[in-house]
């Protein structure tokens, strides 16, 4: 696949689109290579697809971060914690005092696999 300098060819691709003209006709009228024009169009599409994928990933990351809510452990009743991590590991802790429970939940949330 040919790689072209997009800055130079972007304007031609946009102008052809605005005129509703096939790239081959536009290229012929302007004395430029249709193959290079098609390569520029292909690169612009790929660039747009990559940008869209990045935006989708960022949106997912924001949604997953917003799914967490603050947890407050109240009282002195022993608590049990059961966690299933994305990598399949399951942890279970029983009869934790509130301070230890809060510490454990904080540690689990900080793991790289939690995000």
């Amino acid at each position: 696949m040919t790689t072209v300098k997009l800055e130079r060819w972007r304007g031609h691709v946009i102008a052809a689109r605005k005129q509703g003209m096939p790239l081959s006709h536009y290229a012929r009228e302007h004395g430029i290579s249709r193959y290079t024009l098609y390569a520029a169009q292909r690169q612009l599409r790929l660039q747009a697809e990559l940008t869209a994928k990045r935006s989708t990933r960022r949106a997912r990351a924001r949604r997953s971060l917003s799914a967490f809510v603050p947890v407050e452990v109240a009282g002195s009743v022993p608590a049990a914690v059961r966690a299933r991590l994305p990598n399949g590991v399951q942890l279970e802790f029983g009869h934790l005092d509130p301070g230890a429970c809060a510490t454990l939940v904080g540690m689990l949330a900080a793991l790289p696999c939690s995000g």
Side-chain angles (χ1 to χ4, degrees), residues 47-107:
Q47 191 178 59
E49 288 172 11
L50 285 174
T51 301
K53 285 181 184 177
R54 287 183 189 126
S55 296
T56 301
R57 279 190 222 130
R58 286 186 194 119
R60 280 189 197 137
R62 282 193 296 272
R63 280 195 305 266
S64 68
L65 289 176
S66 64
F68 287 100
V69 295
V71 175
E72 185 178 321
V73 181
S76 60
V77 178
V81 174
R82 195 176 300 154
R84 186 177 331 177
L85 304 178
N87 62 3
V89 173
Q90 295 184 26
L91 305 169
E92 190 169 333
F93 300 91
H95 304 292
L96 294 173
D97 67 79
C101 184
T103 301
L104 178 62
V105 169
M107 289 170 42

